[in-house]
Amino acid sequence: MLYTAFIFGLISSFHCIGMCGPIAMMLPVDRTNQAKKVTQIITYHLGRLTAYATIGFVFGLVGKGFFMAGLQQKLSIFIGVAMIIIVLTPDKLFAKYNFSKPVFKVISKIKTALGSQFKNKSYKSLFTIGLLNGFLPCGMVYVALFGAIAMQSESLGVLYMILFGFGTVPMMSGVVYINSFLTIPIRNSIQKAIPYVAVVIGVLFILRGLGLGIPYISPSNMSLFVQANPNCH
């Protein structure tokens, strides 16, 4: 299921253009030295990937707890259903209940720290901008975290979120150079595809939990459990 992380990140990056694109376009990079500009943008992405890896580790541990409790199949089905519900729920409903309100003060501090880093063109500042950017609330990241939980281990949770982050790198890098070509109609058209991709990934997690015996997609129930002896037929 790891490949779904990169695919979802790649598609989600079009959503990121609207949410985090302004941050990428305002990065304090050297506009006169293209080689240095590239390394600075890479440094920014390394910060984002570090943030994703950190939260992937935490949610991977949560998934490991479910795995140790023998709930991996039910968890995979639940996560698949949750993914589908989240992407199909209108944004206005989430805004109405303001789920981020309990951590508003923390988010406000992150934004303040993020703003102060734009005054410095050092690599440390660029890394910090990426790091703080990665911790800002994002619906697409929330969906990806469900996938990290389903990986059932902290290491795979980290890898899942890193692959998701890598999927966002091409577009988030390109927005600095080709922003003028990404007109609003084009962005809107691409963003309409995001829910469909998320639903497909959600269905894959549901099939994985059902254990229908389909190779790579829905392995049999037996192969979903850790066993002392290999299950060979």
Side-chain angles (χ1 to χ4, degrees):
M1 298 300 294
L2 286 171
Y3 65 90
T4 64
F6 180 80
I7 295 173
F8 187 59
L10 195 62
I11 299 298
S12 296
S13 61
F14 292 99
H15 170 81
C16 295
I17 291 174
M19 301 300 293
C20 301
I23 293 177
M25 288 183 283
M26 292 190 299
L27 288 177
V29 297
D30 192 333
R31 307 290 176 177
T32 60
N33 188 326
Q34 291 301 315
K36 185 177 181 181
K37 183 179 180 179
V38 171
T39 59
Q40 289 174 324
I41 293 175
I42 291 174
T43 302
Y44 160 72
H45 288 308
L46 286 176
R48 287 199 310 121
L49 292 176
T50 300
Y52 292 156
T54 302
I55 54 182
F57 178 83
V58 174
F59 282 82
L61 280 176
V62 174
K64 184 177 182 178
F66 283 108
F67 175 75
M68 297 300 290
L71 301 174
Q72 57 268 43
Q73 284 181 268
K74 294 179 180 179
L75 176 65
S76 186
I77 295 173
F78 170 79
I79 287 175
V81 172
M83 280 184 171
I84 294 173
I85 291 175
I86 288 176
V87 297
L88 294 182
T89 301
D91 292 336
K92 292 182 179 179
L93 184 61
F94 284 111
K96 179 181 178 181
Y97 291 100
N98 194 9
F99 293 106
S100 62
K101 189 174 181 179
V103 292
F104 179 77
K105 291 184 179 180
V106 176
I107 295 172
S108 180
K109 289 182 179 180
I110 291 177
K111 289 183 177 179
T112 301
L114 183 61
S116 65
Q117 294 299 320
F118 283 94
K119 301 175 182 179
N120 195 330
K121 293 186 177 182
S122 68
Y123 283 96
K124 180 180 178 181
S125 290
L126 287 162
F127 180 86
T128 303
I129 290 172
L131 185 69
L132 295 174
N133 188 182
F135 284 119
L136 287 176
C138 174
M140 298 299 100
V141 173
Y142 296 158
V143 175
L145 286 175
F146 278 112
I149 294 176
M151 291 298 101
Q152 303 163 2
S153 79
E154 61 272 35
S155 58
L156 289 178
V158 169
L159 182 57
Y160 192 93
M161 290 307 296
I162 288 178
L163 288 174
F164 168 79
F166 268 119
T168 67
V169 167
M171 188 55 66
M172 289 299 292
S173 298
V175 72
V176 181
Y177 298 96
I178 61 174
N179 182 56
S180 59
F181 295 98
L182 294 172
T183 62
I184 293 178
I186 293 176
R187 295 181 189 180
N188 291 339
S189 297
I190 297 174
Q191 286 203 42
K192 289 179 180 179
I194 294 177
Y196 295 101
V197 175
V199 167
V200 170
I201 294 175
V203 170
L204 287 174
F205 274 108
I206 292 173
L207 291 174
R208 179 172 178 261
L210 291 175
L212 301 176
I214 304 173
Y216 304 107
I217 296 178
S218 183
S220 64
N221 293 346
M222 186 65 70
S223 63
L224 291 173
F225 293 88
V226 176
Q227 307 170 72
N229 299 311
N231 177 35
C232 301
H233 297 285

